[in-house]
Amino acid sequence: MSRSPVQMLVDEASQTFKPGGPFAYHYARGKLGYDTIFHEMLRRGLLPQRGQYLDLGCGQGSLFAWLLAAGRLYDRGQWPEGWAPPPRPTTLRGVELMQKDVDRAEQAFGAQHPVVRVEQGDMNAVDFGQPDAILILDALHYFSHEQQREVLARIRRALPPGGVFLTRVGDASAGLRYRICNGVDRLVTYSRGHRLPRLYCRTLKDWVGELERLDFAVETEDMSGRKPFANVMLVCRVPH
Ligand SMILES: C[S@@+](CC[C@H](N)C(=O)[O-])C[C@H]1O[C@@H](n2cnc3c(N)ncnc32)[C@H](O)[C@@H]1O
């Protein structure tokens, strides 16, 4: 049976992690194959066509492999029907707390990649520079509410008019679905070599209220798919 363009995209992006060994490869395959946010951001063309991207808490850089693979597939005419043309970022900078993930990113992209740079650092401390798009996928809830507020305000200041902040958060008002989501998150984090983390949760209303107070135009989309989770994508745009 022939592969669909989406399967080709997952295959192409995951190949990037082959040099890092089976864990890196299968982690990427699982993430990119089943996590709807990666599909949705491309399908709907949510990110700026060009410019500099910053991924905070980027892990091994699965997002970067996904975006680069998207460009290659589009050029080969193997693009999913109905999806927006993929973005062509000029730089992809990642900041990641865990050195092990940074090492896997380096094995995947090499130390001298023309577009990708993944550095070890804490998003609470690093300078964000002047990117056109900032992403935080499932990492904001690892630090305190006060630190979250500070990071969000710094993101807003770093982005230009028309800039995009794309993130995913859990909705603490979602009852059992949220507790399941949190339990899975704690287990996955533990299995990746962290301590069992304390998670700093907020309701969706609280997240959106704070982002709107920062003068972002916020769009929300449920990202739980068919899983009993309470994950919500927030697409936050800086007005022109
Ligand atoms: C659930 S993982 C998601 C990784 C990646 N965003 C993805 O979608 O594949 C969360 C990541 O955020 C990182 N992280 C947590 N707190 C961080 C911080 N303060 N600064 C940078 N990275 C952080 C963790 O080490 C972990 O790799």
Side-chain angles (χ1 to χ4, degrees):
M1 215 171 66
S2 68
R3 292 176 303 157
S4 72
V6 177
Q7 283 163 338
M8 284 186 221
L9 180 53
V10 174
D11 290 347
E12 174 88 13
S14 312
Q15 288 296 328
T16 314
F17 295 97
K18 275 260 158 96
F23 176 84
Y25 172 70
H26 289 289
Y27 179 84
R29 275 201 80 81
K31 189 97 192 159
L32 299 172
Y34 297 102
D35 189 337
T36 41
I37 198 166
F38 291 95
H39 301 216
E40 202 59 7
M41 70 173 76
L42 286 183
R43 187 182 72 77
R44 291 183 50 202
L46 295 174
L47 296 166
Q49 254 308 306
R50 291 197 66 75
Q52 307 191 22
Y53 286 20
L54 172 63
D55 186 6
L56 298 170
C58 66
Q60 65 179 12
S62 303
L63 170 72
F64 297 163
W66 181 246
L67 296 174
L68 293 172
R72 293 194 295 272
L73 255 75
Y74 185 83
D75 291 344
R76 283 189 228 138
Q78 296 170 322
W79 195 236
E81 213 179 304
W83 285 30
R88 308 287 182 154
T90 45
T91 60
L92 293 168
R93 175 188 170 207
V95 175
E96 168 54 46
L97 200 56
M98 297 288 281
Q99 186 61 46
K100 269 190 198 160
D101 284 287
V102 177
D103 294 343
R104 281 201 294 273
E106 186 168 324
Q107 284 166 326
F109 300 101
Q112 305 293 332
H113 194 280
V115 176
V116 176
R117 180 162 56 93
V118 174
E119 63 199 52
Q120 193 280 329
D122 182 340
M123 72 175 96
N124 292 288
V126 296
D127 184 353
F128 294 162
Q130 295 183 306
D132 302 282
I134 300 181
L135 298 100
I136 301 184
L137 301 180
D138 312 318
L140 269 172
H141 56 307
Y142 291 117
F143 44 82
S144 72
H145 293 152
E146 200 182 326
Q147 288 172 306
Q148 290 169 3
R149 273 192 279 279
E150 181 63 23
V151 164
L152 295 179
R154 287 173 56 226
I155 287 173
R156 176 62 183 83
R157 289 198 293 273
L159 287 170
V164 178
F165 169 47
L166 193 148
T167 190
R168 178 165 57 189
V169 295
D171 176 8
S173 67
L176 179 63
R177 287 190 305 130
Y178 182 69
R179 289 201 295 279
I180 294 173
C181 198
N182 243 354
V184 171
D185 195 343
R186 281 164 63 86
L187 277 179
V188 170
T189 307
Y190 185 65
S191 72
R192 294 173 79 227
H194 292 262
R195 284 178 292 120
L196 257 188
R198 171 167 176 203
L199 301 179
Y200 296 85
C201 314
R202 298 165 75 166
T203 63
L204 180 59
K205 194 164 164 240
D206 190 17
W207 284 113
V208 172
E210 176 155 345
L211 288 157
E212 287 180 343
R213 276 193 295 282
L214 288 168
D215 196 27
F216 277 112
V218 184
E219 185 193 328
T220 64
E221 187 179 335
D222 184 88
M223 278 291 121
S224 311
R226 276 172 291 181
K227 299 186 205 82
F229 291 173
N231 286 327
V232 183
M233 173 170 71
L234 305 179
V235 187
C236 313
R237 294 195 171 83
V238 179
H240 280 283

